[in-house]
């Protein structure tokens, strides 16, 4: 068998360590991919698949991308959840003996990208690692772009899944023996890319960032993440911040389903931010503020003191409109300090970034002054560190409009570095000399159009048009280049100056690059201070954002009740209200207390039941993140958890049916809710047959009422359930009012006490413009069914009477001493067949209409 060429052998050796990544193998100006990588990449990136001879028996599939265009291809692969290993030539091909040495210099993965479309300014990009212990699971999170590190202990896998989902971690690092079922859930539910790392010990270089981390389990989990980052990034991680331990019980628990249902950070339909609560709230002016806002929305607080501290600051900002507006203007000028710190550590900032940094820092004294005038003990007591020394340094060093490239000079200011100034003088003097030479030559020769120019190939030259050539003195000018209408010349003195200028320029570029690298190293020392400043500014940004939204949308400051009472006056759904804009949103009250824990909401479809339920939950969430709420008055308990079952979106990703999802969500609520929780169940039991669904709905209501005592809003179209009002002491009926006008239903969206008086399904179908003939037929069927129901009820009553009689007669039979055995009635074959058919009928799966038809057929058989 033929053996592969040395280059392909080298490729295969490197590839063996990066099985789960596309290996971008540098060959000259291209990154090439081979074998399976090439086949897959050509499909994913829609690039041409070719092949080459690699010494083996068959040609090797190959595809490649030009070196300079690689970032956009890498980005495409990362966005699809893949990993890319960058393999560079690590020695000069001219020096190499045999195959040029090549090594992987970085593994880019969804959780470790530092730039590109996968990153959003206002979203963190977390990578997670998990370690399972006996009963609990350690979780570590890191955002490489900002340097933030978090660790927590989850008490079970569901809790862990919720965390991963809510922070949106794109990649999860685990050990090889991680349970398969869990892996599947991470991929299906969180769309996470999985990576493996066995090593969990933390190298001594990183001891400084461990801070208060004493729990072995957390150290080990974080160690796994850190080792993975070191192994894949192979560069400075100096910007990693102190690890912060957080406790899940410090925030309101909202499970994965409920977060999705309530559309806190993205909508169910488009999966985008627009239309979500986060979208409504986002009046932040900085990217850092935007990220913190998302974190706060994801984790409402449960500690009253902390919530009230935020609310007080919001109140201060509302009361001081002008200061707030000034702050907003100043914040707008603040660059993303956290991500900048990350890029400084990674060594990929440019001079423009540093100018932005300087400009940001220059805003801080004014923000500080503004905060002093506002006085707030919690958020404004400490002074903001404007890193004045750093901003002065940058002011002295870098010009106002530097180029993007850091390798072409024109970055440093004059006067910053003596040697640089000298080179620049030489270069500038040379250029002035050349300008003067042009004048002298024109005078000497009398050629007005004579000019001195420069190009990379020929250097400086004197250009004379063909018509004027005879005016040049013989023997002085050396011909260099001939153009159609002109000739270009040089002179010995021009050549000499050229050498001086070019040498100076080369030195300038080299020195400027070196000075920039030194400056970058100096900025690195400020990373921890910049990170603290970033955190303080982002908090101020989110709090001013709450104040701005609250004032613009006329929200009120919530009060937290000492009892468990909830009272919302004129409550609105914040997002629906905003979207409706000019149209009038109808405000509604909600009242719950110890004797009124559950509300059973009836009313026609589309009347506003689910909007009403959501608005109660969103009001509680807004209050607990420290924002005002959409109501004219709100007294609220502090909820420990919110559970929802709203909407009937099939969970297509995990392939579960609507009904299964419904039941999973119900189970989740029932298993975890406490008396301090809020449960919203919208139309539960709808996904199965009528009796099944109604039975389940009632059993669920009874269970919550008797066993849990959570505040519950339960909407239903099963009218039959409204009788529970009389049976369960703290359940009350309410309904959304609708009226009929000229035979059509008009929704008033107004909540009133008591059950709704009828169902309006056909009217809604009419509103949806179903064909008139169909609507007419539905109305006929409805009246037939209603008539039949009446009939059945009468029959049932009669049957009961008959059964009573039978029971009596049986009693009397039993009383007899020698009872005569009752003779079984003899049935015809037809009758027996009908009985068998009756027995085999699955009533729970039939609509009343089907049942009627079947009965009719059966009756016909034996009549
Ligand atoms: P249901 O759950 O009863 O089927 P929804 O809550 O989905 O109804 O509401 C249907 C539509 O009615 C909403 O999309 C919204 O446009 C409108 N709506 C709901 N509540 C109100 C309200 N309070 N004021 C004005 N319009 C409302």
């Amino acid at each position: 068998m033929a053996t592969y060429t040395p280059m392909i052998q080298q490729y295969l050796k490197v590839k063996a360590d990066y099985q789960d990544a596309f290996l971008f193998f540098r060959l000259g100006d291209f990154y090439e991919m081979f074998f399976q990588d090439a086949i897959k990449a050509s499909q994913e990136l829609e690039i041409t698949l070719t092949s080459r001879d690699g010494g083996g028996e068959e040609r090797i599939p190959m595809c490649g991308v030009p070196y300079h265009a690689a970032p956009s291809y890498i980005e495409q692969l990362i966005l699809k959840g893949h990993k890319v290993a960058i393999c560079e030539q690590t020695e000069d091909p001219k020096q190499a003996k045999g195959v040029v040495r090549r090594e992987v210099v970085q593994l880019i993965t969804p959780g470790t990208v530092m730039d590109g479309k996968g990153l959003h300014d206002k979203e963190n990009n977390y990578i997670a690692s998990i370690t399972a212990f006996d009963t609990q699971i350690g979780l570590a999170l890191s955002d490489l772009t900002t340097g933030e590190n978090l660790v927590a202990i989850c008490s079970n896998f569901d809790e862990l899944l919720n965390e991963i989902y809510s922070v949106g971690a794109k990649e999860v690092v685990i050990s090889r023996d991680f349970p398969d079922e869990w892996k599947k859930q991470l991929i299906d539910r969180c769309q996470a890319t999985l990576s493996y790392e066995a090593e969990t010990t933390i190298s001594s270089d990183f001891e400084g960032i461990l801070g208060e981390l004493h729990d072995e389990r957390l150290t080990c989990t974080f160690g796994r993440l850190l080792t993975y980052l070191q192994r894949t990034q192979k560069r400075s991680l100096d910007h990693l911040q102190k690890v912060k331990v957080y406790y899940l019980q410090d925030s309101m628990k909202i499970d994965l389903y409920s977060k999705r249902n309530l559309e806190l950070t993205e909508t169910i339909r488009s999966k985008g931010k627009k239309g979500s609560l986060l979208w409504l709230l986002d009046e932040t002016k900085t990217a850092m503020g935007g990220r913190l806002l998302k974190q706060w929305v994801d984790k409402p607080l449960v500690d009253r003191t902390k919530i009230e501290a935020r609310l007080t600051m919001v109140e201060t900002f509302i009361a001081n409109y002008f200061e707030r507006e000034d702050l907003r203007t100043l914040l707008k000028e603040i660059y993303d300090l956290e991500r900048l710190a990350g890029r400084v550590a990674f060594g990929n900032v440019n001079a423009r970034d540093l100018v932005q940094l300087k400009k940001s820092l220059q805003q801080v004294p004014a923000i500080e002054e503004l905060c002093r005038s506002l006085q707030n003990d919690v958020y404004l007591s400490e002074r903001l560190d404007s890193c004045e020394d750093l901003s002065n340094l940058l002011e002295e060093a870098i010009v106002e409009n530097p180029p993007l490239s850091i390798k072409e000079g024109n970055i440093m200011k004059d006067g910053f570095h003596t040697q640089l100034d000298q080179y620049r003088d030489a270069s500038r003097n040379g250029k002035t000399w050349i300008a003067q030479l042009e004048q002298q030559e024109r005078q000497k020769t009398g050629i007005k159009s004579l000019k001195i120019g420069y190009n990379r190939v020929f250097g400086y030259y004197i250009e004379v048009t063909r018509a004027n050539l005879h005016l040049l003195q013989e023997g002085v000018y050396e011909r260099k280049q001939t153009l159609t209408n002109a000739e270009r010349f040089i002179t010995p003195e021009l050549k000499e100056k050229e050498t001086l200028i070019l040498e100076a320029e080369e030195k300038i570029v080299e020195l400027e690059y070196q000075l920039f690298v030194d400056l970058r190293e100096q900025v690195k020392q400020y990373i921890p201070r910049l990170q603290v400043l970033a955190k303080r500014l982002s908090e101020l940004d989110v709090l001013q954002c709450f104040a701005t939204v609250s004032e613009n949308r006329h929200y009120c400051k919530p009060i937290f009740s000492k009892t468990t009472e909830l009272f919302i006056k004129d409550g609105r759904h914040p997002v629906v209200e905003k979207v409706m804009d000019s149209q009038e949103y109808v405000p509604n009250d909600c009242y719950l207390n110890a004797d009124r824990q559950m509300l059973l909401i009836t009313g026609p479809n589309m009347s506003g039941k689910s909007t009403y339920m959501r608005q109660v939950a969103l009001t509680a969430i807004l209050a607990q993140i420290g924002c005002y709420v959409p109501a004219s008055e709100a007294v609220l308990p502090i909820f420990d958890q919110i559970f929802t079952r709203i909407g009937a979106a099939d969970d297509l990703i995990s392939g579960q049916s609507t009904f299964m999802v419904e039941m999973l969500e119900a189970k989740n609520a029932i298993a975890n809710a406490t008396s301090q929780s809020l449960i919203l169940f919208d139309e539960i039991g709808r996904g199965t047959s009528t009796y099944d669904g109604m039975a389940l709905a009632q059993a669920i209501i009874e269970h919550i009422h008797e066993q849990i005592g959570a505040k519950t809003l339960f909407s239903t179209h099963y009218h039959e359930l409204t009788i529970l009002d009389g049976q369960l002491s703290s359940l009350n009926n309410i309904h959304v009012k609708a009226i009929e006008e000229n035979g059509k239903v008009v929704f008033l969206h107004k909540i009133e006490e008591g059950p709704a008086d009828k169902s309006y399904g056909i009217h809604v179908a009419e509103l949806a413009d179903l064909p008139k003939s169909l609507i007419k037929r539905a109305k006929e069927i409805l009246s037939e069914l209603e008539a039949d129901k009446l009939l059945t009820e009468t029959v049932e009553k009669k049957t009961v009477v008959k059964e009573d009689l039978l029971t009596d007669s049986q009693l009397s039979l039993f009383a007899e001493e020698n009872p005569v055995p009752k003779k079984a009635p003899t049935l015809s074959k037809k009758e027996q067949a009908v009985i068998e058919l009756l027995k085999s009928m699955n009533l729970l799966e039939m609509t009343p209409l089907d049942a009627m038809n079947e009965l009719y057929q059966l009756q016909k058989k034996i009549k």
Side-chain angles (χ1 to χ4, degrees):
M1 194 184 91
T3 49
Y4 287 125
T5 60
M7 201 268 292
I8 293 295
Q9 285 179 26
Q10 183 190 43
Y11 170 87
L12 289 170
K13 199 157 165 265
V14 179
K15 176 70 192 173
D17 290 335
Y18 294 92
Q19 299 284 2
D20 62 348
F22 283 98
L23 184 63
F24 273 43
F25 195 73
R26 184 72 181 265
L27 283 183
D29 282 344
F30 274 77
Y31 286 115
E32 301 288 1
M33 281 160 274
F34 302 109
F35 301 101
Q36 279 306 311
D37 271 11
I39 296 171
K40 267 195 286 167
S42 67
Q43 288 160 355
E44 297 273 14
L45 299 171
E46 293 179 17
I47 52 180
T48 317
L49 181 69
T50 57
S51 65
R52 73 179 276 160
D53 182 13
E57 278 158 14
E58 286 172 13
R59 289 179 71 79
I60 298 169
M62 173 176 109
C63 70
V65 298
Y67 155 75
H68 61 84
S72 80
Y73 288 109
I74 296 174
E75 193 172 291
Q76 283 183 52
L77 291 172
I78 299 292
L79 281 175
K80 291 180 176 185
H82 301 299
K83 303 173 194 173
V84 177
I86 309 289
C87 182
E88 293 288 359
Q89 295 172 178
T90 49
E91 69 178 336
D92 186 345
K94 287 180 209 129
Q95 320 277 316
K97 293 193 188 89
V99 184
V100 184
R101 195 171 56 232
R102 289 185 179 82
E103 279 166 31
V104 169
V105 294
Q106 190 186 1
L107 178 69
I108 307 174
T109 67
T112 61
V113 279
M114 288 297 283
D115 41 39
K117 287 202 194 103
L119 285 188
H120 301 286
D121 284 355
K122 292 191 164 183
E123 274 175 38
N124 282 98
N125 191 53
Y126 287 114
I127 175 164
S129 79
I130 306 173
T131 311
F133 298 93
D134 284 351
T135 53
Q136 295 176 316
I137 307 168
L139 167 69
L141 296 166
S142 188
D143 181 344
L144 208 54
T145 64
T146 63
E148 191 184 359
N149 295 304
L150 299 164
V151 288
I153 289 284
C154 302
S155 43
N156 53 51
F157 188 67
D158 277 348
E159 208 169 80
L160 178 103
L161 217 52
N162 283 341
E163 277 307 292
I164 303 255
Y165 174 82
S166 85
V167 301
K170 302 214 176 73
E171 184 176 357
V172 182
V173 186
I174 48 179
S175 66
R176 292 260 167 215
D177 56 4
F178 199 75
D180 285 342
E181 175 50 32
W182 287 5
K183 282 188 209 164
K184 185 173 175 319
Q185 297 231 36
L186 284 169
I187 297 170
D188 290 350
R189 303 222 148 256
C190 305
Q191 273 101 64
T193 300
L194 299 185
S195 297
Y196 299 93
E197 178 61 63
E199 185 57 60
T200 57
T201 27
I202 294 177
S203 78
S204 56
D205 299 351
F206 287 96
E207 265 162 18
I209 63 166
L210 296 185
E212 303 299 303
L213 202 59
H214 300 306
D215 187 325
E216 268 287 304
R217 297 170 299 179
L218 292 177
T219 323
C220 153
T221 311
F222 181 64
R224 186 188 305 287
L225 186 54
L226 197 56
T227 318
Y228 178 77
L229 292 178
Q230 283 176 287
R231 187 165 63 76
T232 57
Q233 300 309 300
K234 303 177 191 289
R235 57 181 77 193
S236 158
L237 297 174
D238 287 352
H239 68 302
L240 289 188
Q241 304 184 34
K242 254 203 182 105
V243 181
K244 206 171 121 205
V245 185
Y246 73 101
Y247 301 92
L248 297 179
Q249 63 271 26
D250 286 350
S251 55
M252 182 202 265
K253 272 199 221 162
I254 314 174
D255 61 51
L256 186 151
Y257 307 109
S258 305
K259 279 204 169 128
R260 216 181 279 167
N261 288 339
L262 289 172
E263 307 192 308
L264 294 189
T265 55
E266 60 179 33
T267 59
I268 299 175
R269 266 164 203 252
S270 72
K271 299 250 182 285
K273 178 174 165 185
K274 187 154 191 239
S276 67
L277 184 68
L278 182 64
W279 164 76
L280 166 100
L281 282 178
D282 196 356
E283 281 288 342
T284 57
K285 290 287 172 191
T286 65
M288 308 172 286
R291 290 196 294 270
L292 186 67
L293 172 66
K294 183 165 185 291
Q295 290 177 14
W296 282 12
V297 171
D298 266 326
K299 289 202 180 324
L301 300 171
V302 288
D303 181 301
R304 188 181 175 140
T305 320
K306 286 187 189 154
I307 300 173
E308 284 178 346
R310 286 186 191 171
L311 283 169
T312 312
M313 190 64 231
V314 172
E315 192 169 28
T316 310
F317 276 136
I318 290 181
N320 294 277
Y321 173 82
F322 292 107
E323 285 78 359
R324 192 178 82 226
E325 282 304 304
D326 287 348
L327 175 67
R328 284 165 65 78
T329 314
L330 290 164
L331 285 173
K332 220 159 64 186
E333 301 301 315
I334 305 263
Y335 190 57
D336 194 338
L337 300 178
E338 280 177 318
R339 287 208 164 142
L340 179 107
R343 299 224 302 279
V344 170
F346 255 54
N348 54 0
V349 278
N350 58 38
R352 286 198 193 161
D353 291 328
L354 294 188
V355 171
Q356 300 261 34
L357 170 61
K358 177 194 76 182
K359 286 193 181 150
S360 308
L361 293 176
Q362 287 170 345
Q363 311 300 318
V364 180
I367 297 180
E368 167 64 28
E369 197 179 319
L370 195 145
C371 292
R372 285 300 118 233
S373 73
L374 290 181
Q375 294 171 354
N376 177 293
D377 291 345
V378 180
Y379 286 99
L380 309 178
S381 63
E382 267 179 60
R383 299 190 73 83
L384 292 169
D385 174 8
S386 64
C387 303
E388 204 181 332
D389 32 357
L390 176 60
S391 66
N392 288 343
L393 172 66
L394 296 173
E395 175 72 44
E396 281 166 24
I398 300 183
V399 297
E400 285 308 300
N401 289 309
L404 262 184
S405 162
I406 55 171
K407 292 195 170 152
E408 286 166 19
N410 297 324
I411 293 179
M412 298 297 166
K413 272 191 181 161
D414 284 342
F416 177 65
H417 194 267
T418 328
Q419 179 78 65
L420 178 65
D421 286 352
Q422 285 167 0
Y423 290 146
R424 279 185 176 164
D425 272 352
S427 150
R428 280 177 199 147
N429 290 341
K431 283 181 182 159
T432 321
W433 183 89
I434 284 175
Q436 284 165 357
L437 180 74
E438 191 177 63
Q439 286 306 320
Q440 288 164 10
E441 288 292 328
R442 279 183 191 167
Q443 276 169 6
K444 202 167 89 184
T445 59
I447 309 171
K448 285 215 180 79
S449 60
L450 177 147
K451 61 179 184 204
I452 298 187
Y454 174 83
N455 73 27
R456 273 176 194 265
V457 184
F458 295 105
Y460 285 97
Y461 53 79
I462 299 172
E463 187 177 301
V464 177
T465 54
R466 206 164 280 282
N468 290 316
L469 284 178
H470 65 281
L471 295 170
L472 290 183
Q473 195 187 336
E474 288 279 321
V476 178
Y477 302 92
E478 184 187 334
R479 197 178 305 257
K480 207 58 194 160
Q481 194 186 3
T482 304
L483 308 178
T484 334
N485 293 322
E487 294 281 344
R488 288 176 174 174
F489 304 91
I490 50 160
T491 64
E493 52 181 352
L494 183 58
K495 193 78 209 158
E496 193 183 320
K497 276 291 170 207
E498 178 190 283
T499 317
L500 278 178
I501 294 172
L502 292 186
E503 255 176 34
E505 282 187 349
E506 196 175 308
K507 285 197 175 127
I508 289 171
V509 170
E510 258 172 41
L511 183 58
E512 284 213 50
Y513 178 69
Q514 194 47 51
L515 289 174
F516 183 78
V517 172
D518 291 349
L519 187 66
R520 200 166 61 193
E521 282 306 302
Q522 276 174 278
V523 179
K524 222 176 188 180
Q525 310 304 317
Y526 288 87
I527 289 178
R529 277 169 72 187
L530 289 173
Q531 284 168 337
V532 173
L533 177 66
K535 186 167 179 298
R536 301 270 321 271
L537 290 175
S538 44
E539 277 176 357
L540 288 178
D541 195 10
V542 179
L543 292 162
Q544 72 73 22
C545 145
F546 285 172
T548 306
V549 175
S550 301
E551 188 172 70
N552 291 350
R553 309 217 62 86
H554 311 289
Y555 291 178
C556 77
K557 184 177 177 185
I559 296 169
F560 294 101
S561 60
K562 297 256 170 349
T563 61
T564 63
E565 188 188 30
L566 176 149
F567 174 57
I568 300 171
K569 189 165 163 39
D570 302 326
R572 287 110 60 193
H573 186 298
V575 180
V576 177
E577 180 193 41
K578 177 171 170 159
V579 173
M580 286 178 79
D581 221 19
S582 56
Q583 280 167 281
E584 275 289 287
Y585 187 88
V586 181
N588 276 304
D589 300 345
C590 181
Y591 183 61
L592 292 163
N593 65 15
D595 304 325
R596 189 181 151 98
Q597 298 270 25
M598 300 183 91
L599 296 177
L600 189 74
I601 313 168
T602 40
N605 266 337
M606 292 292 292
S607 62
K609 300 185 293 298
S610 114
T611 308
Y612 177 71
M613 299 205 295
R614 285 163 195 259
Q615 82 187 30
V616 173
L618 293 178
T619 301
I621 289 171
L622 280 169
Q624 288 182 233
I625 61 175
C627 184
Y628 281 21
V629 297
S632 62
E633 206 183 320
V635 179
L636 302 163
I638 292 183
F639 288 110
D640 64 349
Q641 305 173 82
I642 292 186
F643 298 94
T644 65
R645 164 60 222 171
I646 300 180
D650 261 296
D651 195 343
L652 294 175
I653 299 167
S654 61
Q656 279 166 332
S657 71
T658 310
F659 186 60
M660 191 58 191
V661 176
E662 194 172 320
M663 287 302 111
L664 279 174
E665 293 179 9
K667 182 220 96 176
N668 198 30
I670 285 163
N672 298 302
T674 71
S675 59
Q676 263 97 54
S677 309
L678 174 65
I679 301 179
L680 310 181
F681 277 165
D682 191 11
E683 305 276 12
I684 211 143
R686 198 178 193 170
T688 181
S689 71
T690 308
Y691 293 120
D692 242 9
M694 203 153 67
L696 271 167
Q698 179 166 345
I700 288 172
I701 293 176
E702 286 172 1
H703 181 89
I704 297 174
H705 187 271
E706 301 304 320
Q707 315 284 330
I708 305 176
K711 299 234 169 345
T712 306
L713 304 183
F714 199 108
S715 81
T716 184
H717 65 292
Y718 296 130
H719 227 259
E720 293 81 347
L721 293 179
T722 54
I723 54 155
L724 290 173
D725 192 1
Q727 296 167 15
L728 304 175
S729 62
S730 55
L731 179 138
N732 286 62
N733 280 321
I734 59 171
H735 67 278
V736 200
K737 196 165 165 64
I739 51 169
E740 254 186 82
E741 257 178 26
N742 307 327
K744 290 217 164 165
V745 66
V746 179
F747 302 126
L748 299 182
H749 304 302
K750 196 73 197 162
I751 295 282
E752 294 195 346
E753 291 293 308
D757 52 2
K758 75 200 253 189
S759 202
Y760 293 83
I762 297 180
H763 294 289
V764 175
E766 212 170 348
L767 278 186
D769 251 356
L770 279 167
K772 292 220 161 32
S773 55
L774 187 153
I775 300 285
K776 186 165 161 273
R777 175 71 187 131
K779 282 182 180 164
E780 278 167 22
I781 298 173
L782 179 69
S783 43
E784 272 172 32
L785 287 174
E786 279 175 350
D788 286 342
K789 193 173 166 214
L790 215 65
L791 191 72
T792 322
E793 277 167 8
T794 328
V795 172
E796 271 169 8
K797 273 190 199 133
K798 283 185 186 156
T799 322
V800 172
V801 176
K802 271 193 200 152
E803 276 174 2
D804 284 351
L805 286 175
L806 184 64
T807 319
D808 281 352
S809 66
Q810 278 175 342
L811 276 176
S812 65
L813 283 175
F814 284 129
E816 280 176 26
E817 279 189 1
N818 294 312
V820 183
K822 212 175 160 205
K823 198 178 163 206
T826 42
L827 296 174
S828 70
K829 271 197 176 155
K830 256 191 191 171
E831 283 166 338
Q832 267 172 356
V834 168
I835 287 177
E836 286 314 310
L837 278 173
L838 254 176
K839 277 190 197 159
S840 68
M841 269 164 63
N842 186 353
L843 291 177
L844 294 184
E845 300 256 294
M846 294 171 107
T847 64
L849 193 62
D850 290 342
M852 278 289 293
N853 285 335
E854 275 299 317
L855 269 179
Y856 176 73
Q857 296 300 336
L858 292 178
Q859 201 180 44
K860 241 174 44 183
K861 284 194 171 71
I862 47 173
K863 245 184 174 174

